[in-house]
Amino acid sequence: MFSSNQVFEVSCTKSQLKSVLAFALDMANGERTSPRNLVYQTTPDGRFAIGWFHQEPKAGWQTLVSPTPSVDLLAEAAIQYLKDYPDRSIELWDGSYEQGYLVKVIQETMASEWNGIKNPFYGYVTIQAHKVFYSK
């Protein structure tokens, strides 16, 4: 798991999402000898959260097709879910915009719910839609 006050926030394009997720999960599991079982949940505001479980997933968390999904499967699941929650922010600047993603660490807390995430102690990161901007 990330340190209790870890700061991790990366914006990326669709083609970079797998690499960012692999890096984040490697950081989160870096001190362990074996990777943990992975789970996900979605939030009311349109974020896709990835977390872990030891024996059974805690309330709010669900497994994908297996408890050890590949990064490819996690990224694709997030992309599919987030199609319904695009970043609709206003495009004010001269340049081009591309629908991308923002990956953020889930803050460690023992609360039963925090910021729309149930049992956030078991969370690694959230992924949300984010417009990537390229200035001229």
Side-chain angles (χ1 to χ4, degrees):
M1 167 166 10
F2 291 101
S3 62
S4 299
N5 66 343
Q6 186 85 43
V7 176
F8 183 86
E9 184 172 311
V10 180
S11 61
C12 61
T13 63
K14 181 178 178 180
S15 65
Q16 298 166 328
L17 182 58
K18 285 188 256 184
S19 299
V20 171
L21 265 181
F23 178 70
L25 294 175
D26 185 51
M27 282 181 64
N29 277 316
E31 72 278 3
R32 291 171 177 75
T33 57
S34 61
R36 293 182 169 181
N37 296 317
L38 297 175
V39 286
Y40 80 98
Q41 68 177 274
T42 58
T43 64
D45 63 351
R47 290 174 293 142
F48 187 90
I50 298 173
W52 61 276
F53 72 94
H54 178 54
Q55 292 179 347
E56 291 294 323
K58 298 295 180 184
W61 295 100
Q62 306 171 56
T63 59
L64 285 168
V65 293
S66 83
T68 56
S70 67
V71 172
D72 290 346
L73 181 60
L74 286 168
E76 193 53 42
I79 289 166
Q80 289 303 313
Y81 173 74
L82 293 169
K83 283 183 179 179
D84 292 336
Y85 298 94
D87 180 346
R88 298 186 191 284
S89 59
I90 298 171
E91 300 174 3
L92 297 173
W93 304 102
D94 191 16
S96 63
Y97 290 82
E98 177 181 339
Q99 197 66 246
Y101 304 93
L102 184 61
V103 180
K104 294 170 129 179
V105 70
I106 295 173
Q107 297 298 312
E108 183 180 306
T109 178
M110 295 299 287
S112 61
E113 185 171 334
W114 177 82
N115 200 15
I117 299 170
K118 294 177 177 80
N119 288 301
F121 178 79
Y122 297 94
Y124 286 143
V125 295
T126 60
I127 306 165
Q128 66 191 63
H130 175 77
K131 282 186 184 172
V132 179
F133 171 65
Y134 301 92
S135 62
K136 280 188 173 181

